[in-house]
Amino acid sequence: MFSRTVLFSCKRAPQACLLRGLATEASAVSAAPEVVHVDAALSKKTARPNLHTGIILNRSPIITRTPTAFEKAYYAYQARIHRALHNPFPYEFYFKQGSPLESRFNIEERRRERKAFGAPFGVQTGETSEAEKLAEATMRDEEEAMPRIHEADIHSDFKHLNRRGQRNLYLLLQKQENGAAVWRFPQESVEKGELLHHAATRGLEVECGNNMDAWIVSRNPIGVFHPPSPVNVDSAEKNAVFFYKAHIMAGQVRPNRTRAQDFAWLTKGEIKTRVDPDYWLGIKDMLSDF
Amino acid sequence: MLTSVLKPTRLPFQTRGLSARLYSTRKSEINSDPQKDIIRRYLYPANIRNKATPTGTWRPDVARALQRAIPSVQAHEIIERAWLLHQRHLRKKREAELQRKFECMKQAMQELEEIDSRLFREANKQEDPRARSLAEVEAMKSMSEPEKRAVESRVRGLFPRELRVPADTPPKNGWPFEWRAFPRPLA
């Protein structure tokens, strides 16, 4: 304990540490102005910056990624091997003999065999029965699944939330900063005494409206950005923007017209083309690549 | 993983030299239920181990099918190596992205600690799923039943239900644009 106090006092006033044990009124008074001077110098360096919270509002992927050509080929290859080697399927247990479901399964299975191994496999033995003809008819009339590419992709509608279903989309707002139009994440200044994640929810509601089901992931910020202070402002004033990650699950953004003129849901590559180079360097590591 | 399937498997030690006993077959009875027979044959397969496959039979044309499926042993090994390499590339990319994100978060928390210790402490607090904040309790007093359920269903610290898992094709109705504005009380 004694050594710690000695070290602490040494930091503040080197001369005083030797006289610590013998401190008198006079030496205390002489040490005080030096201590005050050192404190003032320290506080000037670490002035508290103005705090802001930014929101990285993410629309997660809706559909799975398209496999690459290599992946597709590998999956088909593995499927062929498993089909060649698997134990016999207990058809009798799963399909009642003579039922239309059995006929449909047989048709589909013959097609799969033909596709996997080629011509001699999957050849139909005997004539098509009544049930098989029925099954073929129902297979033709069945409805298909939704296409993976949406019309928003074709028309490049950047406001539409169905665009680029495989990718992560992030919300950018177009704001006016010193007369120029810049693209930024939604941002809000933190009030005195307010917690950061509360400021984030409030900021999201103010800038983007409350017509969407947004969920802020946690109390922790995911990144920090120091915007360069403009030339005409006093250099001692600094700003720090703490970013929070949020997910949108329903609804749409209705930007506050006084604060933002336009909005867009963009992928990481598209954000790079629209945003200032300094801002990009600050935010690029927080975003998902795909 | 797959190469082990292609090598011939050994018979287990215990069954060598023992007499075979088939519990799944029965003397043919004229009034035996065929459905029960099917179920019995499926649930209790024959336990004679006199084939290379451990559980049942191969398909009748297994050699021909395998010849069609695999080009050659060497080609198969090269394909396996290429796949593992591809998986490694993906894994490294994913890990690098996570590392970058983590560094950003670490930097942010370090700066927050320097700026304000109270905010730092609050940001580091563990979320208790069962806790209710004062604002929530106050707001719940004057809410309708569906609204109360909406507040209770979103448990703090857990992912919400509405965050969907990606599927192969998009949902039939697309993105849910119609969503009633619900002011959630501060957590």
Side-chain angles (χ1 to χ4, degrees):
Chain A
M1 278 301 287
F2 175 68
S3 56
R4 219 190 288 172
T5 47
V6 165
L7 280 170
F8 183 71
S9 57
C10 275
K11 260 188 231 172
R12 283 165 145 244
Q15 299 95 318
C17 72
L18 288 169
L19 305 167
R20 182 86 179 140
L22 314 164
T24 57
E25 282 290 324
S27 59
V29 163
S30 65
E34 292 168 3
V35 164
V36 164
H37 181 69
V38 165
D39 266 348
L42 281 170
S43 64
K44 231 190 224 171
K45 272 192 220 164
T46 57
R48 189 196 150 101
N50 300 328
L51 294 180
H52 308 263
T53 45
I55 311 269
I56 297 188
L57 189 57
N58 174 26
R59 190 228 63 189
S60 310
I62 301 173
I63 48 180
T64 49
R65 289 198 214 179
T66 316
T68 60
F70 174 53
E71 281 171 1
K72 253 193 187 162
Y74 183 77
Y75 293 147
Y77 177 66
Q78 288 288 308
R80 282 200 297 280
I81 292 174
H82 280 281
R83 180 170 278 284
L85 290 177
H86 73 66
N87 299 134
F89 178 62
Y91 304 95
E92 310 157 323
F93 182 73
Y94 285 102
F95 297 107
K96 197 165 162 68
Q97 207 172 15
S99 66
L101 201 62
E102 191 197 24
S103 320
R104 181 170 160 162
F105 177 77
N106 286 338
I107 294 164
E108 286 176 348
E109 188 61 20
R110 274 199 295 272
R111 290 216 183 122
R112 286 191 285 257
E113 283 276 303
R114 179 77 62 96
K115 200 167 163 212
F117 298 125
F121 293 83
V123 166
Q124 194 180 329
T125 50
E127 302 163 355
T128 37
S129 66
E130 231 359 272
E132 291 197 348
K133 287 195 187 119
L134 263 173
E136 275 182 342
T138 46
M139 277 166 71
R140 256 179 273 127
D141 300 330
E142 225 178 37
E143 57 180 270
E144 292 167 3
M146 296 283 291
R148 281 166 68 94
I149 298 180
H150 198 261
E151 58 175 355
D153 281 307
I154 302 166
H155 302 306
S156 291
D157 181 8
F158 290 107
K159 294 191 175 35
H160 203 98
L161 275 160
N162 274 322
R163 192 180 76 96
R164 305 298 290 268
Q166 301 175 40
R167 305 285 307 263
N168 278 295
L169 294 182
Y170 297 99
L171 177 69
L172 275 189
L173 298 176
Q174 191 179 34
K175 294 182 177 173
Q176 291 288 332
E177 219 169 86
N178 305 330
V182 287
W183 286 92
R184 293 265 182 273
F185 288 120
Q187 194 175 310
E188 171 76 11
S189 53
V190 179
E191 284 166 9
K192 204 170 154 64
E194 193 184 22
L195 296 180
L196 285 181
H197 63 280
H198 290 163
T201 28
R202 189 175 53 85
L204 192 60
E205 204 174 324
V206 163
E207 294 235 317
C208 307
N210 62 352
N211 210 62
M212 50 179 188
D213 190 8
W215 175 67
I216 294 196
V217 179
S218 86
R219 303 166 79 105
N220 303 4
I222 61 163
V224 69
F225 174 66
H226 295 282
S229 45
V231 185
N232 46 357
V233 174
D234 184 17
S235 57
E237 190 183 284
K238 289 209 171 75
N239 292 305
V241 186
F242 285 93
F243 284 103
Y244 275 80
K245 174 106 183 266
H247 288 272
I248 180 172
M249 291 160 300
Q252 176 63 292
V253 167
R254 288 192 193 161
N256 191 343
R257 288 288 155 197
T258 54
R259 310 208 17 176
Q261 287 74 53
D262 200 14
F263 73 95
W265 290 97
L266 304 168
T267 60
K268 190 173 178 181
E270 288 160 2
I271 291 176
K272 183 174 179 179
T273 57
R274 290 204 191 196
V275 139
D276 303 334
D278 301 323
Y279 198 70
W280 170 249
L281 285 175
I283 60 149
K284 68 178 168 62
D285 289 331
M286 291 187 266
L287 307 178
S288 297
D289 281 339
F290 195 75
Chain B
M1 188 175 44
L2 188 64
T3 47
S4 63
V5 179
L6 296 179
K7 290 191 191 120
T9 51
R10 288 241 185 92
L11 291 172
F13 181 76
Q14 294 94 325
T15 60
R16 281 190 223 140
L18 290 176
S19 61
R21 229 183 289 183
L22 284 170
Y23 291 101
S24 60
T25 57
R26 270 185 168 209
K27 291 191 188 116
S28 59
E29 293 163 22
I30 299 160
N31 40 4
S32 68
D33 189 4
Q35 188 62 24
K36 278 197 196 150
D37 279 341
I38 290 167
I39 294 173
R40 204 178 290 122
R41 236 182 294 143
Y42 176 57
L43 287 176
Y44 308 112
N47 59 356
I48 303 174
R49 299 282 177 255
N50 57 1
K51 297 184 183 70
T53 161
T55 50
T57 53
W58 303 120
R59 55 191 283 159
D61 49 356
V62 64
R64 214 158 39 100
L66 202 56
Q67 268 188 337
R68 285 298 191 104
I70 298 182
S72 72
V73 172
Q74 296 88 351
H76 179 78
E77 286 184 1
I78 289 174
I79 292 168
E80 279 296 311
R81 278 172 52 203
W83 178 251
L84 290 171
L85 189 64
H86 174 65
Q87 292 293 85
R88 182 192 161 86
H89 288 324
L90 292 179
R91 195 170 58 239
K92 292 294 174 195
K93 246 196 194 161
R94 214 181 318 142
E95 283 171 11
E97 185 191 316
L98 283 175
Q99 181 68 21
R100 271 178 272 136
K101 284 184 178 172
F102 182 71
E103 288 299 319
C104 268
M105 212 166 153
K106 204 162 122 178
Q107 177 72 19
M109 293 306 276
Q110 272 174 357
E111 292 201 23
L112 187 61
E113 188 180 12
E114 285 163 22
I115 288 171
D116 191 327
S117 60
R118 175 184 161 254
L119 291 177
F120 177 73
R121 254 183 295 116
E122 289 293 324
N124 270 326
K125 261 199 185 151
Q126 288 283 7
E127 300 259 41
D128 182 9
R130 290 166 296 182
R132 292 262 175 86
S133 67
L134 289 164
E136 270 183 351
V137 170
E138 277 300 313
M140 297 254 284
K141 286 179 188 165
S142 56
M143 270 192 202
S144 65
E145 274 304 316
E147 286 179 336
K148 273 199 204 135
R149 255 182 277 135
V151 171
E152 279 172 11
S153 66
R154 196 136 312 166
V155 180
R156 70 179 68 240
L158 298 184
F159 281 84
R161 248 169 193 252
E162 294 85 5
L163 210 50
R164 288 172 73 124
V165 177
D168 280 337
T169 48
K172 219 186 294 189
N173 304 324
W175 182 263
F177 285 106
E178 292 79 34
W179 190 79
R180 194 175 78 92
F182 172 59
R184 220 168 258 282
L186 263 186

